[in-house]
């Protein structure tokens, strides 16, 4: 299978090359071979397919996945067989046709109401059936001239940031560009939209209307800009002395802006005075993600590290670090010394992590216990972003083998797989924003090569939607331990390296090159 891994590595290199601003003649030649390489790889996979191989899994990969699933299932059966389940099975055996029940002594009892577990199963089944019937209409918002790196939603507006240095405001119902916010001299890497109550406070400072909404943008030009959406005016620019790689607004106390730099530094700025309150050398590499949850801030970096911070406006320095978990715990470290792009989404004691691998990592940030949620059936899958909306965990997945892009939906809090959504020619998804309409339907925006609005259609809609909804049986019940996952994925990488000739043409772009570094080039 060495040739298969070699071709997969070449395709991964090409996908990362394609998102660069400019290509050398040699790189253009490599990119031009993508279709040919995919065709060759498809032929090889067809040759190796057989009765013992499932679709999309090759040889040793399938054996490992089967072994993993079997081992975990055995552990769960031995260690976790609940007494409640045993009691329920005995009760079912003693049920009478009239709905009453007997115990082992023949005494009659009234029907027992469904247990919490049964109700949960019924709720999940209903939700799955609803999503299996879901229809979406896709609309492309055209205007950016380069990769879309970030997007946020404010009411019926979508704000997008691009490597082309612009921030654009879109009116979603009409799919039209409302404003072009030009001012950054470097690529826009991150956006954040403060809550309305904090916008009102800043509006008073600048003598603007109470209903004014603001959006924050960070850029490689070392600036954070604050934009008034009604006018498109930049009301304030904060110079950070470092290329801004991530950004977050914390609605705690008077409010804080937290920026992460490409060198690993965190800086905290007062929302009311816009003064710098704290600078912290938090990470060893670029801070690629910042997310708040109540009085907590979560930061993730390119080297695979996750930090948890407590936030308070009562302290001289607003941030105090509670926990730090390195790549040896998270399993999100780089390969061949090249670090990646870690994205996180917190929920209670858990933090969902995506780091360009085939699975979504789940970190218990209090204990350091790691699990993983399978987001693709083989190591050919790349998870670029993970996000949450009420009741749903959403993970993007890109298959480097065939170029297919999908969105996988999992039910929360159980993390049980629901459905996969895809469409023809759907590009690689690198950022995601979502909200609900007044009628309760979903509206999503995905960014990457294109900025696409996903609008859920009502159930009574007669025509076929633009999105294919399907169930991938290989993703069902695939919550596995991350330590086993890390070992197996690393062994795949090691095998891959041994099978590839180490000449300049094969190694000038590492297989797991950082998306963030590509964005900044």
């Amino acid at each position: 299978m060495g040739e298969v891994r070699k071709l997969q590595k070449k395709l991964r290199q090409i996908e990362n090359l394609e998102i660069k601003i400019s290509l050398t003649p040699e790189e253009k030649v490599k990119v031009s071979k993508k279709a040919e390489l995919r065709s060759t790889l498809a032929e090889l996979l067809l040759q190796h397919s057989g009765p013992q191989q499932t679709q999309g899994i090759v040889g040793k990969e399938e054996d490992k996945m089967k072994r993993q699933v079997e081992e975990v299932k055995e552990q769960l059966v031995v260690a976790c067989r609940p007494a409640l389940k045993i009691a329920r099975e005995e009760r079912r055996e003693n049920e009478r046709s009239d709905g009453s029940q007997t115990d082992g002594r023949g005494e009659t009892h009234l029907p027992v109401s469904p247990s919490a577990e049964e109700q949960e199963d019924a709720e999940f089944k209903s939700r799955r059936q609803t999503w299996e019937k879901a229809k979406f209409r896709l609309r492309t918002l055209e205007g950016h001239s380069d990769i879309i790196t970030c997007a946020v939603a404010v009411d019926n507006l979508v704000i997008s940031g691009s490597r082309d240095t612009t921030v654009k405001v879109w009116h979603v119902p009409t799919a039209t560009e409302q404003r072009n916010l030009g001012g950054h001299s470097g690529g826009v890497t991150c956006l954040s939209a403060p809550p309305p109550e904090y916008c009102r406070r800043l509006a008073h400072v600048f003598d603007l209307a109470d209903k004014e909404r603001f959006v924050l943008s960070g850029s490689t030009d070392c600036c954070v800009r604050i934009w008034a959406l009604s006018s498109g005016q930049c009301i304030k620019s904060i110079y950070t002395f470092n290329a801004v790689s991530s950004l977050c607004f914390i609605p705690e106390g008077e409010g804080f802006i937290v920026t992460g730099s490409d060198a690993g530094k965190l800086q905290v700025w007062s929302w009311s005075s816009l003064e710098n309150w704290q600078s912290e050398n938090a990470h060893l590499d670029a801070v690629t993600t910042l997310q708040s949850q109540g009085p907590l801030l979560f930061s993730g970096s390119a080297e695979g590290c996750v930090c948890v911070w407590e936030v308070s406006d009562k302290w001289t320095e607003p941030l105090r670090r509670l926990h730090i978990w390195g790549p040896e715990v998270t399993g999100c470290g780089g390969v061949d010394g090249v670090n990646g792009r870690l994205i996180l989404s917190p929920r209670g004691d858990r933090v969902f992590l995506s780091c360009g691998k085939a699975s979504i990592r789940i970190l218990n940030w209090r204990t350091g216990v790691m699990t993983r949620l399978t987001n693709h059936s083989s190591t050919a899958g790349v998870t670029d972003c993970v996000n949450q909306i009420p009741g749903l965990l959403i993970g993007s997945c890109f298959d480097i083998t065939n170029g297919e892009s999908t969105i996988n939906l999992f039910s929360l809090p159980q993390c049980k797989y629901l459905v996969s959504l895809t469409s023809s020619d759907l590009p690689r998804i690198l950022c995601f924003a979502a909200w609900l309409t007044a009628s309760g339907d979903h509206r999503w925006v995905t960014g990457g090569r294109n900025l696409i609005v996903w609008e859920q259609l009502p159930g009574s809609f007669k025509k076929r939607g633009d999105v294919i909804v399907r169930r991938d049986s290989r993703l069902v019940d695939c919550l596995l331990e991350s330590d086993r996952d890390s070992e197996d994925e690393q062994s795949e990488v090691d095998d891959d390296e041994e099978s590839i000739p180490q000449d300049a043409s094969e190694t000038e772009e590492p297989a797991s090159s950082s998306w963030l570094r590509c964005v900044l080039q």
Side-chain angles (χ1 to χ4, degrees), residues 362-383:
I362 306 175
L363 167 68
N364 185 311
W365 61 266
R366 296 185 186 274
T367 64
V369 173
M370 289 293 304
T371 51
R372 76 173 175 98
L373 186 65
T374 301
N375 197 44
H376 196 275
S377 56
S378 78
T379 55
V382 176
T383 303

Side-chain angles (χ1 to χ4, degrees), residues 136-141 144 147-153 158-161 170 172 385 387 394-397 405-408 421 423 425-435 443-455 467:
F136 282 84
R137 178 178 62 175
L138 301 187
R139 291 179 294 171
T140 301
L141 304 179
H144 283 297
I147 297 293
I148 295 94
T149 59
C150 46
V152 295
V158 164
I159 301 92
S160 58
W170 310 85
V172 175
C385 58
N387 211 316
I394 300 175
S396 71
C397 185
S405 187
T406 59
I407 290 179
N408 293 325
L421 309 178
S423 180
D425 301 322
L426 183 66
R428 185 174 176 177
I429 296 170
L430 303 169
C431 59
F432 179 92
W435 70 105
R443 272 185 181 161
W444 304 341
V445 172
T446 56
R449 280 288 177 190
N450 297 322
L451 189 65
I452 301 175
V453 173
W454 301 55
E455 184 175 10
V467 172

Side-chain angles (χ1 to χ4, degrees), residues 197-224:
E197 59 269 26
Y198 286 89
C199 290
R200 283 194 293 270
R201 297 179 189 180
L202 193 63
H204 290 163
V205 174
F206 288 94
D207 196 25
L208 298 173
D210 286 347
K211 294 183 179 181
E212 184 64 75
R213 294 300 300 269
F214 299 98
V215 66
L216 315 176
S217 62
S219 168
T220 59
D221 63 8
C222 306
C223 285
V224 172

Side-chain angles (χ1 to χ4, degrees), residues 329-477:
V329 174
T330 66
C332 294
V335 180
D336 298 333
V338 178
N339 294 330
R341 176 179 177 259
L342 173 64
I343 298 297
L344 63 80
S345 180
R347 177 187 173 88
D349 291 347
R350 296 184 294 179
V351 183
F352 300 101
L353 310 172
S354 66
C355 54
K357 297 184 180 180
S359 61
I360 297 172
R361 263 64 173 176
I362 306 175
L363 167 68
N364 185 311
W365 61 266
R366 296 185 186 274
T367 64
V369 173
M370 289 293 304
T371 51
R372 76 173 175 98
L373 186 65
T374 301
N375 197 44
H376 196 275
S377 56
S378 78
T379 55
V382 176
T383 303
D384 286 303
C385 58
V386 61
N387 211 316
Q388 297 176 65
I389 51 180
L392 288 177
L393 174 68
I394 300 175
S396 71
C397 185
F398 181 75
D399 192 324
I400 61 173
T401 301
N402 54 28
E404 180 178 316
S405 187
T406 59
I407 290 179
N408 293 325
L409 304 185
F410 302 87
S411 177
L412 288 175
Q414 310 95 329
C415 294
K416 295 177 67 175
Y417 170 69
L418 289 166
V419 295
S420 296
L421 309 178
T422 189
S423 180
S424 59
D425 301 322
L426 183 66
R428 185 174 176 177
I429 296 170
L430 303 169
C431 59
F432 179 92
W435 70 105
L436 295 175
T437 65
S439 60
D441 292 326
H442 289 267
R443 272 185 181 161
W444 304 341
V445 172
T446 56
R449 280 288 177 190
N450 297 322
L451 189 65
I452 301 175
V453 173
W454 301 55
E455 184 175 10
Q456 187 177 11
L457 301 172
S460 58
F461 191 77
K462 299 299 182 182
K463 296 182 180 179
R464 182 177 179 180
D466 300 328
V467 172
I468 300 171
V469 182
R470 67 189 183 197
R471 285 268 295 172
D472 188 340
S473 60
R474 297 164 296 179
L475 300 186
V476 178
D477 297 328

Side-chain angles (χ1 to χ4, degrees), residues 145-183:
S145 60
D146 211 327
I147 297 293
I148 295 94
T149 59
C150 46
V152 295
V154 177
D155 299 327
N156 279 328
L157 302 177
V158 164
I159 301 92
S160 58
S162 170
R163 204 171 53 183
D164 64 11
T165 75
T166 66
V167 176
K168 291 184 180 291
V169 182
W170 310 85
H171 185 245
V172 175
T174 58
T176 58
E177 179 181 329
Q178 189 176 73
R179 297 193 183 278
N180 179 35
L181 309 182

Side-chain angles (χ1 to χ4, degrees), residues 316-327:
T316 304
E317 294 188 332
L319 296 184
R320 289 185 182 178
R321 188 164 63 192
L322 297 178
H323 296 277
I324 179 170
W325 303 106

Side-chain angles (χ1 to χ4, degrees), residues 258-316:
V258 182
T259 60
S261 79
D262 63 348
K265 180 184 287 187
L266 292 183
Q267 292 181 282
V268 185
W269 311 82
S270 168
W271 178 241
S272 56
S273 66
L274 301 178
E275 296 178 352
N276 181 246
W277 275 28
Q278 184 177 356
S279 294
E280 192 82 24
N281 291 318
H283 295 278
L284 300 177
D285 208 332
V287 183
T288 59
T289 180
L290 288 168
Q291 293 289 334
S292 66
Q293 178 181 262
L296 298 177
L297 173 71
F298 297 82
S299 62
S301 64
E303 81 268 16
C305 179
V306 172
C307 286
V308 186
W309 310 80
E310 187 177 5
V311 185
S312 175
D313 60 352
K314 308 299 183 183
W315 305 328
T316 304

